[in-house]
Amino acid sequence: MDEFLNTVEASRFIKRTPAGMRNLVMRRMIPFRKPAGRLLFLRSELERWVQDAPGVSLDDIKREGR
């Protein structure tokens, strides 16, 4: 079963402030759930969101190191 994170836990996970997390939610830039008005995040969705973000991937770094 996937783990739900509250705003503080999710902000620690992706190294943002809670206010920064709420800003990403408000701009609909990050996956979230809002059951009964409570903001929740699925850890697996946050991991995928980080992996899919533009930038250099671990695979790119490994290829350059050869």
Side-chain angles (χ1 to χ4, degrees), residues 1-6 9-10 13-14 30-33 40-53:
M1 178 143 185
D2 206 351
E3 180 182 2
F4 282 101
L5 305 174
N6 63 32
E9 294 164 335
F13 182 68
I14 67 164
I30 194 165
F32 68 95
R33 305 281 193 289
L40 295 174
F41 304 86
L42 282 172
R43 179 182 291 274
S44 64
E45 289 180 345
L46 292 179
E47 289 171 347
R48 191 170 30 253
W49 180 76
V50 170
Q51 287 292 329
D52 292 345

Side-chain angles (χ1 to χ4, degrees), residues 16 24 27-29 32 56 61 64:
R16 299 284 274 232
L24 289 171
R27 293 169 35 212
R28 300 210 180 274
M29 296 182 69
F32 68 95
V56 178
I61 292 170
E64 289 178 12

Side-chain angles (χ1 to χ4, degrees), residues 11-38:
S11 69
R12 286 184 191 135
F13 182 68
I14 67 164
K15 312 260 190 289
R16 299 284 274 232
T17 64
M21 290 296 293
R22 289 188 290 275
N23 188 354
L24 289 171
V25 167
M26 183 180 71
R27 293 169 35 212
R28 300 210 180 274
M29 296 182 69
I30 194 165
F32 68 95
R33 305 281 193 289
K34 203 165 184 183
R38 184 171 180 216

